[in-house]
Structures are given as C-alpha cells and as structure tokens.
Amino acid sequence: MWLTIATPPTQSLDQLDKIMGSVAPDGLRARYVCQADGKFQVIAVWDSKEHADRFFREVLGPILARVLGPEPSGAPAVTGMEVLREFTPAVTG
C-alpha cells in the first residue's frame, strides 16, 4: 500500500472539486481533502506506488490543464511513502 500527500496548485475548493470529481483513479483506496496553513492538501491511499505514479504521470496533468488552464501555477508538490501497518477499527452495530 502507498500513501501520498499532495499540495495541489488550486486556489479554491471549487477548483479542487472539479479536479477530483472528474476521475475515479485505478488503485485508489481512499482520498481525503484537508486544509493547512491556507493550502489544500490531498491525502490518498493507493493499492501500490505504481498506481499512484501512473495517476500523477498520465491522468493528473491533463485534468489540471483542463480545469486550471494550460499553464497552472505549478505542479502539485507530492510526498509518497509506503504504508507499513494499517489499522481499521471493527464496526460494531
């Protein structure tokens, strides 16, 4: 499993929704949008590093160009890391 934390070059939540709502990436397990210090951050959990790399390389660029224009204000800064342990609490009902 692979986790990415990306800071996209978006200025509004509306822009971010347009970017995220346009695809359901292969290998994506979960995605969370947060805001810290006035910047959006997207935390995503992937099946593998290869899935994340393929999304950032082949899918995200064209989406950013379509939503933000051909020259968005920079590419997203991305940090990736391998998930070593996963804990999901049991759901009790």
Side-chain angles (χ1 to χ4, degrees):
M1 211 174 353
W2 190 254
L3 183 135
T4 57
I5 301 172
T7 304
T10 54
Q11 302 301 315
S12 71
L13 192 54
D14 184 53
Q15 284 180 331
L16 191 56
D17 287 342
K18 287 178 183 176
I19 292 166
M20 292 180 37
S22 58
V23 294
D26 182 43
L28 180 67
R29 290 182 173 210
R31 180 168 46 202
Y32 307 92
V33 176
C34 309
Q35 193 171 26
D37 299 323
K39 295 182 181 181
F40 293 108
Q41 293 188 319
V42 180
I43 301 167
V45 181
W46 301 89
D47 286 336
S48 69
K49 180 180 185 309
E50 291 74 25
H51 283 101
D53 288 347
R54 187 177 322 117
F55 171 76
F56 284 103
R57 183 179 61 245
E58 298 174 6
V59 178
L60 188 59
I63 293 170
L64 287 174
R66 187 176 69 245
V67 173
L68 302 177
E71 296 184 27
S73 59
V78 179
T79 300
M81 60 199 84
E82 183 179 0
V83 175
L84 301 176
R85 300 272 190 278
E86 176 183 24
F87 171 75
T88 305
V91 177
T92 58

